[in-house]
């Protein structure tokens, strides 16, 4: 695997196939934790960590356990258990070392367990990357590259969206558009903007 392949996988997952704006996964934390930039950054870091580790672990489990033992049909259950365990670990670490961030994330931190973006990346690595003939290390490297790009793309979008929402709070928005309506309009415009990158890679 060359650096070019690594960079291409990251840029593609981050900008062109963005998990939020193009695949519409992870919308719950996107709308729920994007009111403040500080919360958005904390959530992005937590999601990136869980996503990368979960991708590596789930790919390994599928390649070395589920497929050889002919039980790939339980992959979704196994992946959810891995993600839930990692989220519990992240939650304990954040609670111990950054209580303000833990309080600001609130219910959305344990909701990373059911964040479809993380499960979607883990499943996508199997359906889009894994093949019976691909060497394990090559597939693992590609899966981790895609998950890093996806996590960075998630962080980029949620931080940009939170910055826009902070600006909107101080703007003269019509009463009927305040809050969620104007946020959804902004999200739609951002999605159209990123649609212009389709086909570059």
């Amino acid at each position: 695997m060359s650096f070019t392949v690594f960079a291409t996988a990251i840029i593609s997952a981050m900008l062109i196939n963005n998990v939020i704006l193009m695949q519409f996964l992870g919308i719950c934390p996107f709308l729920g934790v994007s009111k403040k930039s500080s919360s958005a950054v904390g959530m992005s870091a937590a999601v990136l960590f869980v996503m990368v580790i979960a991708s590596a672990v789930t790919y390994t489990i599928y390649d070395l356990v589920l497929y050889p033992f002919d039980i790939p049909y339980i992959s979704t259950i196994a992946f959810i258990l891995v993600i839930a365990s990692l989220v519990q670990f992240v939650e304990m670490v954040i609670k111990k070392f950054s209580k303000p961030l833990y309080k600001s994330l609130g219910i959305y931190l344990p909701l990373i367990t059911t964040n479809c973006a993380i499960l979607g990346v883990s499943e996508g690595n199997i359906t889009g990357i894994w093949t019976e003939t691909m060497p394990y290390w090559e597939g693992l490297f590609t899966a981790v590259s895609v998950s890093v790009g996806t996590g960075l793309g998630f962080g980029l979008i949620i931080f940009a969206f939170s910055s826009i929402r902070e600006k909107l709070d101080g703007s003269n928005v019509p009463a009927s558009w305040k809050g969620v309506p104007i946020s959804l309009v902004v999200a739609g415009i951002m999605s159209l903007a990123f649609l212009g990158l389709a086909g570059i890679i």
Side-chain angles (χ1 to χ4, degrees):
M1 295 292 288
S2 65
F3 176 76
T4 303
V5 175
F6 176 71
T8 302
I10 287 183
I11 292 171
S12 176
M14 183 177 177
L15 301 175
I16 299 168
N17 298 313
N18 187 273
V19 69
I20 294 177
L21 299 181
M22 296 294 106
Q23 301 179 42
F24 308 110
L25 300 175
I27 300 297
C28 177
F30 173 64
L31 293 174
V33 192
S34 58
K35 293 180 181 179
K36 292 184 179 180
S37 297
S38 57
S39 300
V41 170
M43 174 60 80
S44 301
V47 167
L48 176 61
F49 175 80
V50 173
M51 190 174 288
V52 171
I53 303 299
S55 294
V57 174
T58 53
Y59 188 91
T60 301
I61 289 174
Y62 189 89
D63 190 78
L64 301 182
V65 179
L66 299 183
Y67 184 78
F69 286 93
D70 198 26
I71 50 172
Y73 51 86
I74 66 165
S75 62
T76 302
I77 297 171
F79 293 177
I80 289 174
L81 291 174
V82 169
I83 293 168
S85 302
L86 288 170
V87 169
Q88 289 300 313
F89 173 73
V90 170
E91 187 175 358
M92 288 187 296
V93 170
I94 292 177
K95 187 175 183 179
K96 182 174 179 64
F97 293 104
S98 181
K99 288 190 177 180
L101 177 60
Y102 178 78
K103 289 181 179 179
S104 66
L105 293 176
I107 188 62
Y108 294 99
L109 184 56
L111 279 179
I112 296 177
T113 304
T114 56
N115 189 337
C116 53
I118 298 173
L119 181 60
V121 170
S122 298
E123 291 281 4
N125 287 337
I126 303 303
T127 57
I129 296 172
W130 186 89
T131 61
E132 187 177 353
T133 57
M134 178 178 280
Y136 165 71
W137 290 109
E138 182 180 341
L140 179 64
F141 183 80
T142 306
V144 170
S145 301
V146 170
S147 63
V148 168
T150 304
L152 291 175
F154 180 90
L156 171 69
I157 297 307
I158 197 171
F159 178 75
F161 189 60
S162 65
S163 301
I164 295 172
R165 289 186 74 174
E166 286 181 349
K167 284 279 189 181
L168 287 173
D169 287 341
S171 301
N172 187 19
V173 179
S176 59
W177 285 84
K178 284 185 177 179
V180 175
I182 192 66
S183 298
L184 293 176
V185 170
V186 170
I189 293 171
M190 290 175 68
S191 183
L192 287 173
F194 273 73
L195 186 62
L197 299 173
I200 291 179
I201 295 179

